[in-house]
Amino acid sequence: MMRISTSGTPRWMLGTAVCGVLITGCSSGGDGGDAKPQAKPAAEAKPLAAGALRSLLLTQADLGSGYAQAQEEPGEEKFDDISVQGCPALEKLGQSGEENMFAAKAEASFTYDRDATLGEEVHSDRPSVLSSKLRELFDAYTSCPTYTMTSGTTPIEVKVSKSVPPKLGDEQFAYTSTMELPSGAQVLKTMAVRKGNVAVMLVGAPALVDRHIETAVGKLPAGS
């Protein structure tokens, strides 16, 4: 059994696992031919500061009527008692969790019509780091079609399927999770889009994620 640390995995991904669901660098090799002068690779864009990311988050004005922003108490740790069984890739991901997955982040969460949820995180890092870590994260979460998530002493059966994201930004990732909760099945979609050195992630009711992902990506800097 693997215990997931909230310090190594985005908070909203763990939150969705309880409410109803969420590193390696790139490497390159060369052939053994004659050594030739090579142009110096272009420098990668540096991460943005966390303060700059906050202005990129969705707001109630962006979302429209019916949404309320959820407030979280500083230092609140809601998901320390989450564990996963039956998915080796997720176990490995949890065991190798880093204190900070990306260089900077900002986050917000909303409720819609009182019972639907939409969570957002905006992350920044060097483009190669964002790309490799997002790919590893989504590969892990889609590697097992079923697994068991335990919240405290309550086992939750989870079914996962890959989803087709819209062609936005430089890279896109998406999957849909169905949780068998005591109150009934709940379906959530997780989607991420990377644009240069910034990535936006949405998770929540599938219709809400699909409705707002284009707006969320549209708030990212054009030159990021």
Side-chain angles (χ1 to χ4, degrees):
M1 182 178 72
M2 176 268 290
R3 176 85 44 195
I4 300 177
S5 168
T6 57
S7 63
T9 305
R11 172 181 291 275
W12 58 261
M13 288 189 175
L14 293 176
T16 54
V18 176
C19 298
V21 180
L22 189 193
I23 297 207
T24 58
C26 297
S27 61
S28 60
D31 58 30
D34 295 337
K36 296 180 181 179
Q38 295 184 4
K40 185 178 180 181
E44 283 195 288
K46 295 181 179 180
L48 300 180
L53 298 181
R54 284 192 283 273
S55 65
L56 308 180
L57 291 167
L58 291 169
T59 65
Q60 289 173 272
D62 296 319
L63 298 174
S65 61
Y67 290 85
Q69 187 161 359
Q71 300 297 323
E72 184 172 306
E73 294 298 326
E76 187 175 11
E77 295 292 344
K78 297 179 180 178
F79 312 121
D80 283 337
D81 62 345
I82 299 174
S83 60
V84 166
Q85 307 88 43
C87 188
L90 283 180
E91 293 179 19
K92 181 179 179 182
L93 182 68
Q95 291 165 359
S96 63
E98 300 173 2
E99 288 201 6
N100 294 295
M101 195 162 204
F102 301 109
K105 79 168 183 177
E107 60 188 314
S109 58
F110 302 86
T111 58
Y112 177 69
D113 199 21
R114 289 195 248 187
D115 56 357
T117 61
L118 180 68
E120 180 186 27
E121 287 194 357
V122 178
H123 293 272
S124 186
D125 212 315
R126 291 181 292 112
S128 64
V129 174
L130 276 178
S131 178
S132 63
K133 290 186 176 182
L134 284 171
R135 190 170 301 279
E136 181 174 353
L137 185 65
F138 277 77
D139 282 352
Y141 271 89
T142 57
S143 65
C144 301
T146 61
Y147 62 89
T148 301
M149 177 82 67
T150 301
S151 173
T153 59
T154 303
I156 301 170
E157 297 301 314
V158 184
K159 297 179 181 178
V160 180
S161 61
K162 291 184 178 181
S163 302
V164 179
K167 297 295 183 180
L168 298 170
D170 299 317
E171 289 184 286
Q172 317 86 25
F173 309 86
Y175 67 87
T176 300
S177 302
T178 302
M179 255 63 55
E180 297 295 339
L181 301 172
S183 58
Q186 185 171 1
V187 180
L188 291 176
K189 178 177 281 188
T190 301
M191 187 178 296
V193 174
R194 181 183 70 82
K195 186 177 179 184
N197 63 343
V198 181
V200 61
M201 304 182 189
L202 294 184
V203 64
L208 301 187
V209 172
D210 291 341
R211 184 184 306 166
H212 297 296
I213 187 62
E214 188 170 354
T215 300
V217 174
K219 298 191 72 168
L220 304 185
S224 64

